[in-house]
Structure formats: structure tokens, C-alpha cells
Amino acid sequence: MTNRIASPILQPVTLGGLQLKNRIVMAPMTRSRADDNGIQPDYAAEYYAQRADAGLIVTEATNISAQARGYTRTPGIWTDDQIAAWKRVTQAVHQREGKIFLQLWHTGRMSHPDMHAGGLPVAPSAIKPHGQIRVHEGMKDFVTPRALRTDEIPLIVEDYRRAAENAKDAGFDGVEIHSANNYLLEQFVRDSTNVRTDRYGGSLENRLRFPLEVVQAVIDVWGAERVGIRISPVTTTPGETPLDSDTMRTFGTYVAALSNLGLLYIHEIEGVTQQSREEVSGVSFAALRQAFRGAYIANNQYTLVLAEQTLAAGDADLFSIGRPFIANPDLVARLASGAPLAEAPKAYWYGGDSTGYSDWPAMS
């Protein structure tokens, strides 16, 4: 085995006011182990604590309200019982001297009436996604969502604010706002999913209004130095969502506005999730990185070697790794030693119990 422990990726680093063990971020990964009330199981504490050697853990996407839900068995952060369950997680991670942020989520149109007692999912505009979504009874076709009324949008901003407050009560070190993967915030940003004619649609300034109001509300709770955001300018899944008509201008303007708010970091999916890191339609990830004054977390199929090359080029500060953390709770140690990585069968990715979740062995 090759000893890579001297790699700059695996050395301690400062992120704002946080001292991290290394530049490896455990990416947010939906694992669908919560109960029907959005409460994490006790073994979720063990799962996250096992992976606390990552410099920073970003939790699986967590619903900010009942309205935010899109998928079965995903956790929430709007009830006392949900907060208590997450508190067990943060305490376990902190006992191993780890750092953990909660990812705040609203799925918007990527949902189904089965998740809302028959009510329609909400979105900026009544545009139906393509494909299907998994609900309690299996896979069902997406439906046409209900366009939010103008007076409803500030109420969702307040849901984000309360969720941020609840994350603080649960003992997290900070929060990440999920503005990626074509969920509600990105649905407002892209002109392919936002055809509103009020103050939240039409011009680029209007399309960015709601996401930036959300970011400001979360900053009001945590301070900008403990808030990050995730974006995915060229990801089309779920829903076969079309790109914005001028992706670079739209996301360049968005990133510049986020930079002006002083966020701790931007977490960018570079390319199409789990498929390609290629720059698409003239979108320059490097240019977006340069438009942001805070830290830049790069995501999408990074290896240790690629991370070293990217760090040396000044194109990223930290590196987010997802799927390899599923079957390798000691991923950082394996990267340091050059040990082979275990691979989790897809059957364990979503749903189930502690099997294939918190029972993966560390290397001997």
C-alpha cells in the first residue's frame, strides 16, 4: 500500500473559524433511514460518528417543514422529536472531535401528493417534472405542482429561518442550504422552471430574490461564517430539468450575490451528478469559483490524486466525496494508507435498517 498521509488534502486546515482535520468533506447523501415522522433512528448517530474523521460532514438533505418533503423516510428538522434525534447525532460526532453541518432542504415540485395527504407539491410555476418518484407504494409519475402564491413565499423563508434555529438547538456546527439538484431554490433560479410574472419571476434579479431571502434568513440565525450553500448549475436530474437559458450569467450573478453576503463556502457539483465532470454549455466552474470570495468545495467523482491536482491549481479548497463513504467509514484512513476501498451494493443505498448503513467494518 502507498502511504499518502503527507498529502496536503489530508492535512489539517482552517475553514473560517473552524479547525478541520483535513480537506475531505463527507457529501450529503440521502439514505432514507428515518421513520415516517422524519425522525432519525438511534443508529444514525453511530453512522455519522464512524465517519467523523472527515474534515467536515454535511448531513443528508433534511426537510425544513412537512411541506418540504418529497421522498419517504427522509429526516426533518421542524419538530422537537426530530431535533432530539439529530442532537444524538451531533453529540456522537463531537465526541470523536468531528464537525457537522445540517443540510436544509425543500424539494418543491420534486414530490407527490402521496407525501402531502393528497395535496399538490408546490413550486415557483406549475411545470411538471419528467419521470417518476418513489413514495410509500413504490414508483409513481410526477404530477404538475401548484404554483406558490406570492404571499406564501415569505412563509417558506420563515420555515428556513426556524429550521436554522432548530439546527442550532440540535448542536450542529453550521448549516448548508440546499440550492442544488433542481429542488425548490434552484427551481426559482432557473428560467426553465420559473415562469412567474410577479416579483419572484421574470428578470434574473426577481428569480434570485427568494433564494437570497432564504440565505439572508439563515445568516440572521447563524452568522454568515457558519453558513454554506450547495449549487449544481448543469445538473438535470431529477425531473429531466432543462438548464437555464443563460447558465453562466445566471449562476455567475447568483454566486457573486452569495459572495457579497459573506457565506463561509460554496459547494458546487461540477458537471452532471455522478455522470460527468465536463464543463457544459460554456459554463466555467473555475470562473464561478473565482467569483466567490469564501471557500470553494468541489464535488463530483474526486479521487485523492485529482483533489491534489485541483488544490495545487488553486481551483478548490476542500473536496466533497459521497458514495465511497457508504461502505468505508474509515475512508480518510484508507486514502492515507492507499488501502483498497469497499463498495456498497445499490440495494443498501436507500432504505432498510442498520444493515449496509452503520455496520460496515473498518479496515483491519
Side-chain angles (χ1 to χ4, degrees), residues 240-323:
E240 297 179 31
T241 305
L243 299 184
D244 186 84
S245 64
D246 190 346
T247 299
M248 193 63 203
R249 174 175 177 266
T250 293
F251 280 88
T253 303
Y254 190 23
V255 168
L258 295 168
S259 182
N260 289 338
L261 289 172
L263 287 190
L264 176 63
Y265 69 76
I266 194 166
H267 182 180
E268 183 164 356
I269 300 171
E270 296 181 338
V272 178
T273 306
Q274 298 178 1
Q275 294 181 31
S276 170
R277 296 190 61 258
E278 295 176 3
E279 296 189 346
V280 178
S281 303
V283 177
S284 168
F285 306 132
L288 291 175
R289 186 263 183 278
Q290 292 165 7
F292 187 73
R293 291 193 295 272
Y296 181 92
I297 301 177
N299 171 260
N300 200 358
Q301 304 185 72
Y302 270 89
T303 63
L304 186 61
V305 170
L306 180 58
E308 290 169 347
Q309 293 170 348
T310 306
L311 179 67
D315 289 337
D317 302 294
L318 295 101
F319 301 88
S320 166
I321 298 175
R323 200 181 303 169

Side-chain angles (χ1 to χ4, degrees), residues 13-21 55-56 99 101 173-174 222-227 262-265 294-295 318:
V13 64
T14 299
L15 176 66
L18 296 171
Q19 297 298 316
L20 307 185
K21 297 176 182 178
L56 176 66
K99 297 290 190 296
F101 276 33
D173 297 296
W222 277 94
E225 69 279 0
R226 290 298 177 98
V227 178
L263 287 190
L264 176 63
Y265 69 76
L318 295 101

Side-chain angles (χ1 to χ4, degrees), residues 67-144:
Q67 183 202 63
R69 295 174 299 168
Y71 305 87
T72 58
R73 299 192 65 185
T74 50
I77 191 66
W78 75 89
T79 72
D80 290 343
D81 288 342
Q82 292 166 352
I83 296 168
W86 276 122
K87 188 173 290 186
R88 291 191 288 272
V89 171
T90 61
Q91 288 173 342
V93 170
H94 291 153
Q95 285 172 0
R96 291 206 58 222
E97 300 182 339
K99 297 290 190 296
I100 183 167
F101 276 33
L102 182 74
Q103 191 186 61
L104 302 175
W105 192 29
H106 192 309
T107 61
R109 73 178 192 151
M110 303 303 175
S111 187
H112 191 275
D114 284 8
M115 299 299 296
H116 303 286
L120 289 173
V122 299
S125 302
I127 300 173
K128 179 183 177 180
H130 295 282
Q132 294 186 316
I133 187 168
R134 183 177 297 281
V135 292
H136 294 287
E137 298 176 4
M139 301 300 291
K140 290 191 176 182
D141 290 343
F142 280 116
V143 301
T144 301

Side-chain angles (χ1 to χ4, degrees), residues 195-217:
V195 294
R196 301 176 70 91
T197 57
D198 64 358
R199 65 195 301 265
Y200 291 102
S203 70
L204 178 54
E205 178 184 8
N206 283 354
R207 300 200 314 274
L208 295 179
R209 188 184 307 278
F210 168 61
L212 293 176
E213 287 177 350
V214 166
V215 173
Q216 186 59 60

